[in-house]
Amino acid sequence: MLPRATRRDFIRSLAAASLYAALAPMRPAWAQHTHGTENRGNVGQRSGGPDTKRVDLVIDRTPLKIGDRAGTAVTVNGSLPAPLLRFREGDQVELHVTNRLSERASIHWHGILLPNAMDGVPGVTFKGIDPGETFVYRFPLRQYGTYWYHSHSGMQEQLGLYGPIVIDPVADEPFAYDREHVVVLSDWTFSDPHRLLAKLKKQSNFSNLQRQTLVELVSDAREKGVRRTFSEWAKWAGMRMDPTDIADLTGANFTFLVNGRASLDPWTGIFKPGERVRLRFINSAATTHFDVRIPGLKMTVVQADGQHVEPVTVEELRMGAAETYDVLVEPTEERAYAIFAETTDRSGFALASLAPRDGMHPEIPPRRKRPLRTMADMGMGSMEEHSSHQQPGGVAHGEHGSGTDQMVESDHAQHGAGGHGSSHEAKPASESMSDSGGHGGMEMPKNEFGPGNSMMAMMPMNRAGEPGTGLGEDGRRVLVYRDLVALDHRKMPEVQREIVLNATGNMERFIWGFDGKKYSESEPVRLKLGERVRVTFVNQTMMEHPLHLHGMFMELEHGGDGMPPLKHTVVVKPGEKISVLVTADAPGDWAFHCHLQYHMEAGMFRVFSVT
């Protein structure tokens, strides 16, 4: 017999339900279950002239509910994500940002080309916004596309201060669609991000609950053979590294969101069967890369980082932190489709639904096995390892530049991967690595960057034709950088000089930087106004780094045909060497950093000074 509920129990239940409802996060209209065709967002009020659009934004702390837990977020106008800002190319915008926090705040307009004083980076372009103060950002919009905005202060981005920007083009777009949805991916933590950073500095792998076990080692020995298994183990142990180290922070610390909603209460985008739907994907996660797919639908990528690209149809794409991709899908069935964004370490996922009506729930795809790093991620990969991977509908990775022909130093970088006069010539890994677990008699590169770096890639190479760790093995067509070809024609002036920047890190001590130096130890990268430079990134670490340059686009030299795509954020794979072209057409000091927030906070930050 069940006990009878008392009046006191009823009052307690009612109070709990009221509190739970009160904590439900306020979401802007575009992030609700969406029936409209355009997600118009906040287009602003006219102010200061016929073409000036004013928007008032208030930064504050707001109690909310994420999944089944209560927390407090740093919000804009009380909502998570922040309001969608929608403008038109050519508009003059006036953004009045008021800080109601008890600490300094800021907003950076990610990917937007604007005057230096409006970029929103404390200590570089302005002092920040003090408590109680209102700062007015004014700038013209000289571009079209999908972008986003976020805080550049006090790890507030991790706590919820991020939102989407859509700039409609003046000219007709080179593709048609019937409706659109903005899809913002993010990672949420109920922990203090400063404490998480402190824990990473004490034990950098504390969040990795998927480390290899003795049982797995025995299983691998049965599958691969004892000699090979223990040879691989010895290589990793000798480098004091872990092949399961894919992400600094994992699903053990994060709840992954789509438009502010957890998978327990997924966001739904509405469609009518037969419509062509545009999805504007934005990865606003502080430190998470996502592998995005919609089982049952192919995605045609039409924009990357806000700029038109030649359409390419894929089944999955990897979104580095801070990247944006616009895709077209054509659902024909009267059913719900899962928008499934799986973390690269497979420790969690963000989930949304694309459905003909509210209340329909998609089938959740099975989770994939946790991937492992390889010697290629250490800059030691063999030609056979790369060229054996074939993209469905594409070309072999070896043909994309991972073979022996790409291991020779290029004409514009003849002084070694680090640009410091290294004498190590690039050779096929089959000549430099022995089956016994040693290095075939080849001397390992010396660490040229001091205690701020713990490894050197033996043979850094262009990996723009590879989908990335954990992708490309299951038959799906995956987007790779080499697929991206700019659609808008532009002039390509000659390059005047090259700058080499090495992404470096000491993972055990959680120190990150460039050329072995943290931001506090570095000098600006100096450019002359109007100068055209090639910037070559060499990733000496075993982590992917989404590198973001403020104020100017980077033109990605991925080694493929066609016009190089414009990117505001370039993900550099482990052991990779890849170049971008930059025209220094924006005077001032501009931030350049890894967009994994914990790497940036640990020192992976520089300034490009254009004078």
Side-chain angles (χ1 to χ4, degrees), residues 364-406:
I364 300 177
R367 303 281 295 281
R368 290 179 288 196
K369 184 180 178 181
R370 173 260 286 136
L372 295 175
R373 296 290 190 194
T374 66
M375 289 295 116
D377 295 314
M378 301 301 98
M380 302 176 188
S382 68
M383 179 178 68
E384 291 86 357
E385 181 176 3
H386 287 302
S387 60
S388 65
H389 299 309
Q390 176 82 28
Q391 279 259 62
V395 298
H397 292 166
E399 297 172 25
H400 274 313
S402 301
T404 0
D405 58 328
Q406 294 296 322

Side-chain angles (χ1 to χ4, degrees), residues 261-552:
R261 294 179 181 270
S263 58
L264 293 175
D265 176 31
W267 171 86
T268 299
I270 301 299
F271 72 88
K272 293 180 181 178
E275 285 185 328
R276 178 181 285 185
V277 182
R278 178 181 189 167
L279 301 175
R280 298 178 182 265
F281 282 108
I282 301 169
N283 185 359
S284 64
T287 191
T288 302
H289 307 305
F290 290 102
D291 293 331
V292 179
R293 54 193 162 109
I294 308 175
L297 293 178
K298 292 185 177 181
M299 300 179 287
T300 299
V301 179
V302 292
Q303 281 188 3
D305 285 0
Q307 298 296 293
H308 295 319
V309 295
E310 292 186 5
V312 53
T313 299
V314 299
E315 295 168 274
E316 187 165 14
L317 56 88
R318 173 161 289 179
M319 294 195 68
E323 289 189 301
T324 73
Y325 285 102
D326 287 35
V327 306
L328 302 177
V329 296
E330 298 185 42
T332 58
E333 300 179 51
E334 184 84 13
R335 69 176 179 92
Y337 295 85
I339 299 175
F340 193 67
E342 199 171 15
T343 63
T344 54
D345 69 335
R346 311 298 181 234
S347 66
F349 61 88
L351 177 70
S353 174
L354 197 61
R357 58 187 177 275
D358 286 335
M360 300 181 70
H361 299 288
E363 181 180 348
I364 300 177
R367 303 281 295 281
R368 290 179 288 196
K369 184 180 178 181
R370 173 260 286 136
L372 295 175
R373 296 290 190 194
T374 66
M375 289 295 116
D377 295 314
M378 301 301 98
M380 302 176 188
S382 68
M383 179 178 68
E384 291 86 357
E385 181 176 3
H386 287 302
S387 60
S388 65
H389 299 309
Q390 176 82 28
Q391 279 259 62
V395 298
H397 292 166
E399 297 172 25
H400 274 313
S402 301
T404 0
D405 58 328
Q406 294 296 322
M407 297 183 189
V408 181
E409 294 292 344
S410 62
D411 292 338
H412 60 266
Q414 296 180 353
H415 301 292
H420 294 274
S422 170
S423 61
H424 301 286
E425 295 181 2
K427 299 179 183 178
S430 55
E431 296 179 16
S432 60
M433 303 283 286
S434 73
D435 292 335
S436 65
H439 302 294
M442 181 178 179
E443 181 186 355
M444 292 293 289
K446 293 180 180 178
N447 180 7
E448 303 172 4
F449 303 111
N453 189 53
S454 58
M455 66 163 281
M456 293 287 290
M458 183 182 293
M459 294 171 294
M461 63 187 73
N462 186 309
R463 303 181 68 185
E466 301 176 40
T469 301
L471 292 180
E473 301 290 340
D474 51 14
R476 294 190 185 94
R477 177 72 166 95
V478 182
L479 183 75
V480 297
Y481 269 173
R482 201 156 290 172
D483 292 326
L484 300 177
V485 177
L487 205 56
D488 298 332
H489 181 74
R490 63 183 185 275
K491 294 181 180 180
M492 296 290 290
E494 289 188 10
V495 175
Q496 295 165 272
R497 66 184 174 111
E498 182 190 24
I499 297 166
V500 177
L501 282 177
N502 292 270
T504 54
N506 186 315
M507 297 188 67
E508 282 194 306
R509 298 169 60 188
F510 207 75
I511 297 173
W512 300 97
F514 294 104
D515 296 335
K517 296 180 179 179
K518 297 184 292 185
Y519 175 53
S520 59
E521 303 165 337
S522 67
E523 294 293 325
V525 177
R526 302 190 185 279
L527 305 177
K528 295 180 181 179
L529 184 63
E531 186 178 18
R532 174 86 161 167
V533 298
R534 172 177 286 112
V535 184
T536 296
F537 304 130
V538 184
N539 189 353
Q540 305 287 2
T541 79
M542 66 176 287
M543 303 290 287
E544 290 83 1
H545 297 290
L547 302 182
H548 170 48
L549 176 62
H550 291 220
M552 295 163 279

